Amino acid sequence: MLTFTAEIINCIHKYYNINKEDAQEIVNDEWDYIEEEFVKEQSSAKEIAKNLISLYMVA
């Protein structure tokens, strides 16, 4: 799970130009969602990163 969340943070940082500390905060805030998607094994880290950014752009 740690590798998966690190991959999500790196995707947010790389593709959405958000610094790593802010990306870490996003991951911490949405931990339940990420854990749920990880258990389902249907979404990649890139897809989850995209969904998280979509959530934060709306808010």
Side-chain angles (χ1 to χ4, degrees):
M1 183 75 176
L2 291 176
T3 304
F4 189 68
T5 56
E7 192 174 339
I8 292 170
I9 292 167
N10 287 333
C11 287
I12 292 172
H13 175 68
K14 180 178 178 181
Y15 296 112
Y16 300 101
N17 199 26
I18 295 175
N19 69 39
K20 287 193 177 193
E21 292 81 20
D22 290 340
Q24 179 67 49
E25 284 299 317
I26 292 170
V27 168
N28 290 342
D29 290 345
E30 298 299 329
W31 184 257
D32 292 335
Y33 166 72
I34 294 168
E35 188 175 42
E36 183 180 305
E37 291 297 314
F38 181 76
V39 170
K40 286 182 189 176
E41 296 181 1
Q42 295 178 348
S43 298
S44 69
K46 286 183 182 180
E47 291 176 39
I48 292 174
K50 178 182 171 187
N51 293 340
L52 291 174
I53 293 301
S54 294
L55 277 169
Y56 276 79
M57 291 303 195
V58 170

PDB file of all heavy atoms in Angstrom, residues 12 16 18 26-27 29-34 37 47-59:
ATOM      1  N   ILE A  12       0.506  12.805  -9.042  1.00  0.00           N
ATOM      2  CA  ILE A  12      -0.057  14.134  -8.791  1.00  0.00           C
ATOM      3  C   ILE A  12       1.020  15.193  -8.992  1.00  0.00           C
ATOM      4  O   ILE A  12       0.777  16.227  -9.618  1.00  0.00           O
ATOM      5  CB  ILE A  12      -0.671  14.205  -7.377  1.00  0.00           C
ATOM      6  CG1 ILE A  12      -1.915  13.313  -7.289  1.00  0.00           C
ATOM      7  CG2 ILE A  12      -1.026  15.645  -7.010  1.00  0.00           C
ATOM      8  CD1 ILE A  12      -2.478  13.162  -5.886  1.00  0.00           C
ATOM      9  N   TYR A  16       0.267  16.997 -12.575  1.00  0.00           N
ATOM     10  CA  TYR A  16      -0.592  18.127 -12.222  1.00  0.00           C
ATOM     11  C   TYR A  16       0.190  19.276 -11.587  1.00  0.00           C
ATOM     12  O   TYR A  16      -0.405  20.247 -11.130  1.00  0.00           O
ATOM     13  CB  TYR A  16      -1.724  17.660 -11.317  1.00  0.00           C
ATOM     14  CG  TYR A  16      -2.563  16.619 -12.000  1.00  0.00           C
ATOM     15  CD1 TYR A  16      -2.401  15.260 -11.700  1.00  0.00           C
ATOM     16  CD2 TYR A  16      -3.488  16.968 -12.971  1.00  0.00           C
ATOM     17  CE1 TYR A  16      -3.146  14.300 -12.351  1.00  0.00           C
ATOM     18  CE2 TYR A  16      -4.235  16.010 -13.625  1.00  0.00           C
ATOM     19  CZ  TYR A  16      -4.061  14.674 -13.311  1.00  0.00           C
ATOM     20  OH  TYR A  16      -4.796  13.718 -13.962  1.00  0.00           O
ATOM     21  N   ILE A  18       1.765  19.811  -8.817  1.00  0.00           N
ATOM     22  CA  ILE A  18       1.466  20.123  -7.423  1.00  0.00           C
ATOM     23  C   ILE A  18       2.650  19.629  -6.599  1.00  0.00           C
ATOM     24  O   ILE A  18       3.127  18.511  -6.807  1.00  0.00           O
ATOM     25  CB  ILE A  18       0.157  19.442  -6.979  1.00  0.00           C
ATOM     26  CG1 ILE A  18      -1.010  20.027  -7.784  1.00  0.00           C
ATOM     27  CG2 ILE A  18      -0.065  19.604  -5.484  1.00  0.00           C
ATOM     28  CD1 ILE A  18      -2.329  19.367  -7.530  1.00  0.00           C
ATOM     29  N   ILE A  26      -3.256  15.718   0.164  1.00  0.00           N
ATOM     30  CA  ILE A  26      -4.414  15.218  -0.575  1.00  0.00           C
ATOM     31  C   ILE A  26      -4.598  13.731  -0.302  1.00  0.00           C
ATOM     32  O   ILE A  26      -5.711  13.266  -0.032  1.00  0.00           O
ATOM     33  CB  ILE A  26      -4.269  15.488  -2.086  1.00  0.00           C
ATOM     34  CG1 ILE A  26      -4.347  16.991  -2.367  1.00  0.00           C
ATOM     35  CG2 ILE A  26      -5.318  14.733  -2.891  1.00  0.00           C
ATOM     36  CD1 ILE A  26      -3.970  17.384  -3.783  1.00  0.00           C
ATOM     37  N   VAL A  27      -3.516  12.985  -0.375  1.00  0.00           N
ATOM     38  CA  VAL A  27      -3.574  11.535  -0.126  1.00  0.00           C
ATOM     39  C   VAL A  27      -4.028  11.255   1.313  1.00  0.00           C
ATOM     40  O   VAL A  27      -4.871  10.391   1.549  1.00  0.00           O
ATOM     41  CB  VAL A  27      -2.218  10.870  -0.439  1.00  0.00           C
ATOM     42  CG1 VAL A  27      -2.163   9.450   0.086  1.00  0.00           C
ATOM     43  CG2 VAL A  27      -1.963  10.890  -1.939  1.00  0.00           C
ATOM     44  N   ASP A  29      -5.872  13.179   3.217  1.00  0.00           N
ATOM     45  CA  ASP A  29      -7.276  13.565   3.358  1.00  0.00           C
ATOM     46  C   ASP A  29      -8.223  12.550   2.737  1.00  0.00           C
ATOM     47  O   ASP A  29      -9.348  12.368   3.203  1.00  0.00           O
ATOM     48  CB  ASP A  29      -7.529  14.935   2.718  1.00  0.00           C
ATOM     49  CG  ASP A  29      -6.894  16.067   3.494  1.00  0.00           C
ATOM     50  OD1 ASP A  29      -6.494  15.853   4.665  1.00  0.00           O
ATOM     51  OD2 ASP A  29      -6.787  17.176   2.923  1.00  0.00           O
ATOM     52  N   GLU A  30      -7.797  11.911   1.687  1.00  0.00           N
ATOM     53  CA  GLU A  30      -8.668  10.981   0.949  1.00  0.00           C
ATOM     54  C   GLU A  30      -8.244   9.520   1.142  1.00  0.00           C
ATOM     55  O   GLU A  30      -8.462   8.681   0.274  1.00  0.00           O
ATOM     56  CB  GLU A  30      -8.658  11.340  -0.537  1.00  0.00           C
ATOM     57  CG  GLU A  30      -9.182  12.724  -0.831  1.00  0.00           C
ATOM     58  CD  GLU A  30     -10.626  12.926  -0.412  1.00  0.00           C
ATOM     59  OE1 GLU A  30     -11.401  11.949  -0.433  1.00  0.00           O
ATOM     60  OE2 GLU A  30     -10.982  14.063  -0.072  1.00  0.00           O
ATOM     61  N   TRP A  31      -7.679   9.215   2.278  1.00  0.00           N
ATOM     62  CA  TRP A  31      -7.154   7.875   2.546  1.00  0.00           C
ATOM     63  C   TRP A  31      -8.215   6.789   2.395  1.00  0.00           C
ATOM     64  O   TRP A  31      -7.953   5.730   1.825  1.00  0.00           O
ATOM     65  CB  TRP A  31      -6.525   7.824   3.938  1.00  0.00           C
ATOM     66  CG  TRP A  31      -5.904   6.502   4.209  1.00  0.00           C
ATOM     67  CD1 TRP A  31      -6.403   5.502   4.976  1.00  0.00           C
ATOM     68  CD2 TRP A  31      -4.673   6.004   3.671  1.00  0.00           C
ATOM     69  NE1 TRP A  31      -5.553   4.424   4.966  1.00  0.00           N
ATOM     70  CE2 TRP A  31      -4.486   4.712   4.172  1.00  0.00           C
ATOM     71  CE3 TRP A  31      -3.720   6.550   2.813  1.00  0.00           C
ATOM     72  CZ2 TRP A  31      -3.371   3.948   3.842  1.00  0.00           C
ATOM     73  CZ3 TRP A  31      -2.620   5.783   2.494  1.00  0.00           C
ATOM     74  CH2 TRP A  31      -2.459   4.503   3.009  1.00  0.00           C
ATOM     75  N   ASP A  32      -9.421   7.033   2.887  1.00  0.00           N
ATOM     76  CA  ASP A  32     -10.483   6.020   2.800  1.00  0.00           C
ATOM     77  C   ASP A  32     -10.809   5.672   1.349  1.00  0.00           C
ATOM     78  O   ASP A  32     -10.967   4.499   1.008  1.00  0.00           O
ATOM     79  CB  ASP A  32     -11.748   6.497   3.521  1.00  0.00           C
ATOM     80  CG  ASP A  32     -11.559   6.594   5.021  1.00  0.00           C
ATOM     81  OD1 ASP A  32     -10.689   5.883   5.571  1.00  0.00           O
ATOM     82  OD2 ASP A  32     -12.279   7.399   5.649  1.00  0.00           O
ATOM     83  N   TYR A  33     -10.909   6.690   0.511  1.00  0.00           N
ATOM     84  CA  TYR A  33     -11.183   6.471  -0.914  1.00  0.00           C
ATOM     85  C   TYR A  33     -10.057   5.660  -1.562  1.00  0.00           C
ATOM     86  O   TYR A  33     -10.314   4.701  -2.301  1.00  0.00           O
ATOM     87  CB  TYR A  33     -11.356   7.808  -1.636  1.00  0.00           C
ATOM     88  CG  TYR A  33     -11.316   7.699  -3.130  1.00  0.00           C
ATOM     89  CD1 TYR A  33     -12.371   7.131  -3.828  1.00  0.00           C
ATOM     90  CD2 TYR A  33     -10.212   8.140  -3.848  1.00  0.00           C
ATOM     91  CE1 TYR A  33     -12.331   7.007  -5.199  1.00  0.00           C
ATOM     92  CE2 TYR A  33     -10.160   8.028  -5.229  1.00  0.00           C
ATOM     93  CZ  TYR A  33     -11.225   7.458  -5.899  1.00  0.00           C
ATOM     94  OH  TYR A  33     -11.170   7.330  -7.260  1.00  0.00           O
ATOM     95  N   ILE A  34      -8.826   6.036  -1.277  1.00  0.00           N
ATOM     96  CA  ILE A  34      -7.669   5.351  -1.873  1.00  0.00           C
ATOM     97  C   ILE A  34      -7.627   3.898  -1.413  1.00  0.00           C
ATOM     98  O   ILE A  34      -7.395   2.988  -2.217  1.00  0.00           O
ATOM     99  CB  ILE A  34      -6.365   6.076  -1.523  1.00  0.00           C
ATOM    100  CG1 ILE A  34      -6.348   7.452  -2.186  1.00  0.00           C
ATOM    101  CG2 ILE A  34      -5.149   5.265  -1.945  1.00  0.00           C
ATOM    102  CD1 ILE A  34      -5.266   8.367  -1.702  1.00  0.00           C
ATOM    103  N   GLU A  37     -10.285   1.873  -3.256  1.00  0.00           N
ATOM    104  CA  GLU A  37      -9.887   1.593  -4.634  1.00  0.00           C
ATOM    105  C   GLU A  37      -8.748   0.573  -4.697  1.00  0.00           C
ATOM    106  O   GLU A  37      -8.703  -0.256  -5.603  1.00  0.00           O
ATOM    107  CB  GLU A  37      -9.473   2.885  -5.347  1.00  0.00           C
ATOM    108  CG  GLU A  37     -10.624   3.836  -5.598  1.00  0.00           C
ATOM    109  CD  GLU A  37     -11.675   3.259  -6.521  1.00  0.00           C
ATOM    110  OE1 GLU A  37     -11.319   2.678  -7.562  1.00  0.00           O
ATOM    111  OE2 GLU A  37     -12.871   3.388  -6.184  1.00  0.00           O
ATOM    112  N   GLU A  47      -5.148   6.703 -12.486  1.00  0.00           N
ATOM    113  CA  GLU A  47      -6.588   6.946 -12.469  1.00  0.00           C
ATOM    114  C   GLU A  47      -7.033   7.545 -11.144  1.00  0.00           C
ATOM    115  O   GLU A  47      -7.851   8.472 -11.123  1.00  0.00           O
ATOM    116  CB  GLU A  47      -7.346   5.648 -12.730  1.00  0.00           C
ATOM    117  CG  GLU A  47      -7.209   5.123 -14.134  1.00  0.00           C
ATOM    118  CD  GLU A  47      -7.899   3.782 -14.300  1.00  0.00           C
ATOM    119  OE1 GLU A  47      -8.988   3.585 -13.738  1.00  0.00           O
ATOM    120  OE2 GLU A  47      -7.326   2.928 -14.989  1.00  0.00           O
ATOM    121  N   ILE A  48      -6.505   7.027 -10.064  1.00  0.00           N
ATOM    122  CA  ILE A  48      -6.858   7.546  -8.747  1.00  0.00           C
ATOM    123  C   ILE A  48      -6.349   8.971  -8.594  1.00  0.00           C
ATOM    124  O   ILE A  48      -7.065   9.840  -8.079  1.00  0.00           O
ATOM    125  CB  ILE A  48      -6.333   6.626  -7.632  1.00  0.00           C
ATOM    126  CG1 ILE A  48      -7.086   5.295  -7.675  1.00  0.00           C
ATOM    127  CG2 ILE A  48      -6.493   7.277  -6.261  1.00  0.00           C
ATOM    128  CD1 ILE A  48      -6.565   4.250  -6.737  1.00  0.00           C
ATOM    129  N   ALA A  49      -5.137   9.244  -9.052  1.00  0.00           N
ATOM    130  CA  ALA A  49      -4.593  10.604  -8.997  1.00  0.00           C
ATOM    131  C   ALA A  49      -5.489  11.560  -9.785  1.00  0.00           C
ATOM    132  O   ALA A  49      -5.798  12.656  -9.313  1.00  0.00           O
ATOM    133  CB  ALA A  49      -3.172  10.630  -9.540  1.00  0.00           C
ATOM    134  N   LYS A  50      -5.931  11.131 -10.950  1.00  0.00           N
ATOM    135  CA  LYS A  50      -6.822  11.951 -11.775  1.00  0.00           C
ATOM    136  C   LYS A  50      -8.131  12.228 -11.033  1.00  0.00           C
ATOM    137  O   LYS A  50      -8.615  13.362 -11.031  1.00  0.00           O
ATOM    138  CB  LYS A  50      -7.104  11.235 -13.096  1.00  0.00           C
ATOM    139  CG  LYS A  50      -8.040  11.958 -14.006  1.00  0.00           C
ATOM    140  CD  LYS A  50      -8.305  11.153 -15.256  1.00  0.00           C
ATOM    141  CE  LYS A  50      -9.415  11.783 -16.084  1.00  0.00           C
ATOM    142  NZ  LYS A  50      -9.804  10.943 -17.207  1.00  0.00           N
ATOM    143  N   ASN A  51      -8.690  11.216 -10.396  1.00  0.00           N
ATOM    144  CA  ASN A  51      -9.941  11.390  -9.649  1.00  0.00           C
ATOM    145  C   ASN A  51      -9.761  12.323  -8.456  1.00  0.00           C
ATOM    146  O   ASN A  51     -10.641  13.144  -8.173  1.00  0.00           O
ATOM    147  CB  ASN A  51     -10.479  10.034  -9.182  1.00  0.00           C
ATOM    148  CG  ASN A  51     -10.932   9.160 -10.312  1.00  0.00           C
ATOM    149  OD1 ASN A  51     -11.206   9.632 -11.411  1.00  0.00           O
ATOM    150  ND2 ASN A  51     -10.987   7.868 -10.088  1.00  0.00           N
ATOM    151  N   LEU A  52      -8.645  12.205  -7.775  1.00  0.00           N
ATOM    152  CA  LEU A  52      -8.386  13.084  -6.635  1.00  0.00           C
ATOM    153  C   LEU A  52      -8.251  14.536  -7.076  1.00  0.00           C
ATOM    154  O   LEU A  52      -8.790  15.445  -6.424  1.00  0.00           O
ATOM    155  CB  LEU A  52      -7.116  12.638  -5.893  1.00  0.00           C
ATOM    156  CG  LEU A  52      -7.196  11.326  -5.130  1.00  0.00           C
ATOM    157  CD1 LEU A  52      -5.836  10.953  -4.575  1.00  0.00           C
ATOM    158  CD2 LEU A  52      -8.227  11.414  -4.028  1.00  0.00           C
ATOM    159  N   ILE A  53      -7.561  14.770  -8.173  1.00  0.00           N
ATOM    160  CA  ILE A  53      -7.423  16.130  -8.680  1.00  0.00           C
ATOM    161  C   ILE A  53      -8.781  16.664  -9.116  1.00  0.00           C
ATOM    162  O   ILE A  53      -9.089  17.839  -8.865  1.00  0.00           O
ATOM    163  CB  ILE A  53      -6.394  16.184  -9.834  1.00  0.00           C
ATOM    164  CG1 ILE A  53      -5.000  15.868  -9.307  1.00  0.00           C
ATOM    165  CG2 ILE A  53      -6.428  17.528 -10.535  1.00  0.00           C
ATOM    166  CD1 ILE A  53      -4.514  16.814  -8.215  1.00  0.00           C
ATOM    167  N   SER A  54      -9.597  15.827  -9.723  1.00  0.00           N
ATOM    168  CA  SER A  54     -10.946  16.262 -10.102  1.00  0.00           C
ATOM    169  C   SER A  54     -11.746  16.688  -8.873  1.00  0.00           C
ATOM    170  O   SER A  54     -12.448  17.699  -8.912  1.00  0.00           O
ATOM    171  CB  SER A  54     -11.679  15.138 -10.824  1.00  0.00           C
ATOM    172  OG  SER A  54     -11.062  14.850 -12.047  1.00  0.00           O
ATOM    173  N   LEU A  55     -11.628  15.932  -7.805  1.00  0.00           N
ATOM    174  CA  LEU A  55     -12.319  16.283  -6.564  1.00  0.00           C
ATOM    175  C   LEU A  55     -11.837  17.625  -6.028  1.00  0.00           C
ATOM    176  O   LEU A  55     -12.633  18.465  -5.611  1.00  0.00           O
ATOM    177  CB  LEU A  55     -12.064  15.223  -5.490  1.00  0.00           C
ATOM    178  CG  LEU A  55     -12.916  13.981  -5.514  1.00  0.00           C
ATOM    179  CD1 LEU A  55     -12.342  12.952  -4.559  1.00  0.00           C
ATOM    180  CD2 LEU A  55     -14.329  14.307  -5.142  1.00  0.00           C
ATOM    181  N   TYR A  56     -10.545  17.845  -6.026  1.00  0.00           N
ATOM    182  CA  TYR A  56      -9.979  19.060  -5.457  1.00  0.00           C
ATOM    183  C   TYR A  56     -10.178  20.279  -6.352  1.00  0.00           C
ATOM    184  O   TYR A  56     -10.213  21.397  -5.861  1.00  0.00           O
ATOM    185  CB  TYR A  56      -8.511  18.860  -5.104  1.00  0.00           C
ATOM    186  CG  TYR A  56      -8.374  18.233  -3.748  1.00  0.00           C
ATOM    187  CD1 TYR A  56      -8.561  16.869  -3.572  1.00  0.00           C
ATOM    188  CD2 TYR A  56      -8.146  19.014  -2.630  1.00  0.00           C
ATOM    189  CE1 TYR A  56      -8.486  16.291  -2.326  1.00  0.00           C
ATOM    190  CE2 TYR A  56      -8.077  18.449  -1.376  1.00  0.00           C
ATOM    191  CZ  TYR A  56      -8.245  17.086  -1.229  1.00  0.00           C
ATOM    192  OH  TYR A  56      -8.194  16.526   0.017  1.00  0.00           O
ATOM    193  N   MET A  57     -10.327  20.081  -7.642  1.00  0.00           N
ATOM    194  CA  MET A  57     -10.571  21.210  -8.538  1.00  0.00           C
ATOM    195  C   MET A  57     -12.004  21.707  -8.395  1.00  0.00           C
ATOM    196  O   MET A  57     -12.268  22.888  -8.591  1.00  0.00           O
ATOM    197  CB  MET A  57     -10.287  20.826  -9.985  1.00  0.00           C
ATOM    198  CG  MET A  57      -8.844  20.604 -10.268  1.00  0.00           C
ATOM    199  SD  MET A  57      -7.918  22.095  -9.831  1.00  0.00           S
ATOM    200  CE  MET A  57      -6.408  21.791 -10.641  1.00  0.00           C
ATOM    201  N   VAL A  58     -12.912  20.828  -8.044  1.00  0.00           N
ATOM    202  CA  VAL A  58     -14.318  21.199  -7.852  1.00  0.00           C
ATOM    203  C   VAL A  58     -14.473  21.940  -6.525  1.00  0.00           C
ATOM    204  O   VAL A  58     -15.207  22.906  -6.417  1.00  0.00           O
ATOM    205  CB  VAL A  58     -15.236  19.949  -7.885  1.00  0.00           C
ATOM    206  CG1 VAL A  58     -16.634  20.289  -7.456  1.00  0.00           C
ATOM    207  CG2 VAL A  58     -15.220  19.348  -9.273  1.00  0.00           C
ATOM    208  N   ALA A  59     -13.737  21.488  -5.516  1.00  0.00           N
ATOM    209  CA  ALA A  59     -13.889  22.058  -4.178  1.00  0.00           C
ATOM    210  C   ALA A  59     -13.333  23.430  -4.039  1.00  0.00           C
ATOM    211  O   ALA A  59     -12.776  24.129  -4.640  1.00  0.00           O
ATOM    212  CB  ALA A  59     -13.201  21.173  -3.158  1.00  0.00           C
TER     213      ALA A  59
END
